[in-house]
Amino acid sequence: MRGRPGLSRSLAWFLAAAVLLHFAYPLTLNGQVWALAYTLLYPLVAFLGLRVVLPPGKRLLPVAVFSVVFLASGFWAAFNPEAPMARLGLFSAIVLFQGYLILALLTFVFTYGQRHRSSHGPQLIMAAICVYLLLGGLFGALFGLMEALWPGGFENSLEPNAPVTWQDLNYLSFVTLVTLGYGDMVPLGAWARSLAVCEAVIGTLFLATVIARIVGAYVSPPGPEPDGGDPTKTDYPDSPGPGPPAGNG
């Protein structure tokens, strides 16, 4: 993914869809119709995300594949929320897809040409925000995988006898990512706690490194010009020209 005309608009749409996907999940608590409608956000995010990270002309097949995977796993999980295989399929698809998008966006953030900072600087910021949201969704899916494979690793202290839902785990992920830690959702198992600590560390390091990267892109001098000019050479139009050659006498 390179800075290109139209990328800012694509990133803005992708960011808006990612915000809906990761923060509008309480809609799924209002019934199966809302759960199915929410499931449609997954292929939408897949389409918009691949539109950002893939070059033009190479989008149709990946979008079609990811859309089918998300729709199949999402509808399966919506109709059978208690089925372990349905939850495993959905969480696995989320981990694979969001992990791919995170890697592609991070590559863009850390290899972004400094000479683009004045014309395409907002792209860098929007890409970093998208990565941060995707990290929360990625770890929420990892929590879901862990709970599906080894039930009892997490507990809602407000309802200790109720089963932990994926909505609870998504909430736990973002609370952990920002190191807020209300204490209502807690990891109980050793590996669940280890994964939560891993997310907290990654969230803290992400903010430190990416903010430094963005600041560096704005304050450091631009790179070489596209025509191959040497940025270290500076013309001084007001400086006097070379003097006459020295005489022999």
Side-chain angles (χ1 to χ4, degrees):
M1 182 177 64
R2 299 186 179 94
R4 62 180 186 269
L7 181 59
S8 294
R9 182 178 300 175
S10 298
L11 274 167
W13 281 109
F14 179 43
L15 177 58
V19 168
L20 281 176
L21 179 67
H22 294 111
F23 298 141
Y25 64 89
L27 290 173
T28 61
L29 301 175
N30 296 328
Q32 194 174 66
V33 173
W34 283 102
L36 294 175
Y38 177 84
T39 301
L40 296 176
L41 286 174
Y42 285 106
L44 176 63
V45 169
F47 170 76
L48 294 174
L50 292 171
R51 188 167 179 262
V52 167
V53 301
L54 291 180
K58 296 184 179 181
R59 299 173 185 159
L60 294 180
L61 182 59
V63 169
V65 172
F66 278 119
S67 297
V68 169
V69 170
F70 274 124
L71 283 174
S73 58
F75 285 152
W76 187 17
F79 282 111
N80 302 279
E82 303 301 324
M85 292 302 299
R87 301 181 68 182
L88 282 174
L90 178 60
F91 293 141
S92 299
I94 294 173
V95 168
L96 291 175
F97 174 66
Q98 296 202 5
Y100 167 73
L101 284 183
I102 287 171
L103 290 177
L105 289 168
L106 282 177
T107 300
F108 171 70
V109 168
F110 285 99
T111 61
Y112 192 76
Q114 293 177 353
R115 60 189 174 87
H116 293 301
R117 69 183 188 277
S118 60
S119 57
H120 300 297
Q123 296 179 357
L124 195 65
I125 297 173
M126 285 190 289
I129 296 173
C130 288
V131 173
Y132 197 62
L133 293 178
L134 291 173
L135 279 173
L138 175 68
F139 275 94
L142 288 174
F143 289 156
L145 279 175
M146 183 171 290
E147 181 65 16
L149 292 171
W150 301 285
F154 302 88
E155 181 184 76
N156 185 347
S157 61
L158 301 179
E159 300 179 74
N161 297 322
V164 175
T165 65
W166 69 266
Q167 293 92 337
D168 293 330
L169 297 175
N170 190 73
Y171 162 77
L172 171 64
S173 177
F174 279 93
V175 169
T176 304
L177 184 66
V178 299
T179 64
L180 186 58
Y182 282 123
D184 47 354
M185 281 294 303
V186 291
L188 299 179
W191 287 108
R193 291 177 178 177
S194 177
L195 187 59
V197 169
C198 179
E199 181 179 14
V201 171
I202 288 176
T204 303
L205 291 178
F206 176 86
L207 291 178
T209 56
V210 172
I211 288 176
R213 172 68 186 95
I214 293 174
V215 171
Y218 275 88
V219 303
S220 58
E225 295 297 327
D227 59 0
D230 186 354
T232 62
K233 294 182 179 180
T234 308
D235 294 330
Y236 299 94
D238 297 330
S239 60
N248 295 328

